[in-house]
Amino acid sequence: MSFREEHELHKRRFGRNLGVALVLGAFVVLLLGLTVVKVTRGDFEPESVRIQSQ
Amino acid sequence: MSDASIHSQAQENEASFGDYFALLKPRVMSLVVFTALVGLLAAPGGVHPVIAFCAILFIAVGGGASGALNMWYDSDIDQVMSRTKSRPIPSGKVTREEAFAIGLTLSVMAVVMLGLATNWVAAGLLAFTIFFYVVIYTMWLKRWTPQNIVIGGAAGAFPPMIGWAAVTGGISVESVLMFTLIFMWTPPHFWALCLFMKSDYKDAGVPMLHVTHGRAVTRNHILVYTLILAAVAVGMAFTSVGGLIYLVTAIVMNAMFVLGAISIWRRSDEACAADNHKVEKRFFGFSLMYLFLHFGAILAEAALAPYGLGGW
């Protein structure tokens, strides 16, 4: 148990770090979602393969 | 002042996450998100919801990044004007270098990601929007010509066009008209604000129209732009994004907007001072609703179209 009161500055720094972490985490999830959608739709397949599958 | 006190003062002023977010001009970003969303949903065809979400997000990030670059370049005049004094750079929370780095990084990221998520036409338009706002408007026109807000307004008018391009991969009459609607709306909206705001543009050396040419000329300009805007807004009703809902909205809103512009045009400085710019304030408030309802009507037409109710 800590008896030292947390300084306001540390709270602010923690908030900033948490904010950056959440933004980066959300970006990773977004990229994953985007990749899944693109791959399942066949967006990355060559034109010849796409024509064959139609 | 001791080293310790300088150090503690610097720490007191250390930025929070919100200060970095404020660099992206969240209020401007909300308009960007709304108009880009309408452009995206009104476009013929459709995109996967995840791709649509990514497109809107990256358009918003690109818009926010250009806001950060604007704050980086304009930090000298932001310090002088009371409206902008509390922004992250003039208040000492964020350094100019940080703002520049954030703005540039997010700009590149937003353009590349939009290109990968949708297409390179949309990405190119976003890149041009950022370039236009930062270089053409902020660095060049803003401090040079009283028509700054007219030409600079183009930067805020691109988002629906980008949203449209994200779906169609191109530019069309409808997307150009949506661009023109915001482009013509910006001058009367902003000049009305200039008429009643305590102006400190003069101290900052920014040549705003009411400072260089006077308030009477500004009133004339408001009326002329409002009349051209009305023609564009009503004309858009007869394109593929229009319909009965949009036509009725456009007729009512533009009649009221033109009447408001005429009221402003007929007023004298004495009359304005006597009622504390009541008419100008009302016109400014109405201009926000004007834009929201026009794009809201386009959205309603697009949303009702699958049920045979929207469009012509």
Side-chain angles (χ1 to χ4, degrees):
Chain A
M1 189 180 161
S2 170
F3 291 99
R4 280 184 63 190
E5 197 186 333
E6 195 182 14
H7 195 279
E8 192 272 333
L9 188 68
H10 294 125
K11 280 185 195 162
R12 213 184 314 168
R13 280 181 187 167
F14 176 75
R16 202 169 63 195
N17 294 342
L18 186 68
V20 173
L22 288 176
V23 167
L24 288 176
F27 186 59
V28 169
V29 172
L30 194 73
L31 278 190
L32 180 71
L34 187 62
T35 309
V36 169
V37 169
K38 288 267 180 188
V39 169
T40 49
R41 281 172 14 137
D43 283 11
F44 296 126
E45 292 196 359
E47 196 65 26
S48 55
V49 177
R50 238 186 289 180
I51 293 165
Q52 261 183 352
S53 62
Q54 275 173 1
Chain B
M1 194 183 276
S2 68
D3 282 0
S5 67
I6 292 170
H7 188 61
S8 110
Q9 204 175 23
Q11 284 186 334
E12 282 302 309
N13 230 5
E14 207 171 286
S16 65
F17 185 75
D19 293 315
Y20 289 108
F21 186 65
L23 279 177
L24 309 182
K25 298 192 177 180
R27 273 197 299 184
V28 178
M29 228 155 67
S30 63
L31 178 73
V32 168
V33 167
F34 177 60
T35 55
L37 183 70
V38 173
L40 188 136
L41 293 175
V47 283
H48 191 282
V50 173
I51 294 178
F53 176 78
C54 288
I56 298 299
L57 181 72
F58 297 133
I59 295 170
V61 171
S66 64
L69 290 171
N70 167 275
M71 285 198 202
W72 157 72
Y73 192 82
D74 274 351
S75 59
D76 57 336
I77 54 176
D78 282 353
Q79 245 164 3
V80 182
M81 300 201 290
S82 54
R83 186 173 68 88
T84 53
K85 237 186 239 173
S86 58
R87 282 181 176 175
I89 301 176
S91 63
K93 297 266 176 70
V94 177
T95 64
R96 285 189 79 228
E97 291 72 24
E98 280 179 309
F100 179 71
I102 289 171
L104 205 61
T105 309
L106 288 182
S107 294
V108 174
M109 192 210 81
V111 171
V112 172
M113 287 308 301
L114 184 65
L116 291 172
T118 61
N119 58 69
W120 295 102
V121 175
L125 282 171
L126 181 64
F128 183 71
T129 306
I130 298 169
F131 168 78
F132 196 92
Y133 186 63
V134 178
V135 179
I136 308 285
Y137 171 68
T138 307
M139 294 184 180
W140 182 30
L141 296 172
K142 187 173 176 179
R143 302 177 194 220
W144 178 61
T145 166
Q147 295 295 320
N148 48 17
I149 201 68
V150 179
I151 309 159
F158 275 113
M161 228 173 149
I162 306 172
W164 182 282
V167 178
T168 63
I171 295 165
S172 69
V173 178
E174 291 85 354
S175 72
V176 172
L177 279 173
M178 282 191 271
F179 166 90
T180 316
L181 184 76
I182 305 178
F183 181 68
M184 298 309 298
W185 166 86
T186 309
H189 162 78
F190 201 79
W191 283 329
L193 175 78
C194 288
L195 285 177
F196 66 81
M197 278 284 282
K198 187 190 160 294
S199 176
D200 38 18
Y201 285 106
K202 202 175 174 181
D203 303 332
V206 180
M208 293 305 291
L209 188 67
H210 66 296
V211 175
T212 58
H213 291 71
R215 302 165 71 85
V217 173
T218 308
R219 288 191 195 99
N220 294 344
H221 274 66
I222 288 177
L223 180 61
V224 172
Y225 275 91
T226 304
L227 290 172
I228 303 170
L229 171 67
V232 172
V234 175
M236 195 153 70
F238 303 101
T239 66
S240 72
V241 293
L244 194 61
I245 301 166
Y246 178 85
L247 182 64
V248 173
T249 308
I251 288 173
V252 173
M253 297 306 283
N254 282 282
M256 291 169 77
F257 209 44
V258 170
L259 286 175
I262 293 172
S263 314
I264 289 179
W265 179 65
R266 292 170 67 177
R267 275 157 72 82
S268 63
D269 287 348
E270 293 74 34
C272 291
D275 64 5
N276 196 22
H277 302 92
K278 196 175 162 191
V279 176
E280 287 77 11
K281 283 178 184 169
R282 201 171 53 208
F283 183 83
F284 176 76
F286 184 75
S287 72
L288 293 167
M289 197 167 69
Y290 174 97
L291 196 69
F292 178 75
L293 286 184
H294 272 81
F295 276 87
I298 296 172
L299 192 62
E301 297 284 2
L304 293 171
Y307 307 102
L309 294 168
W312 292 112

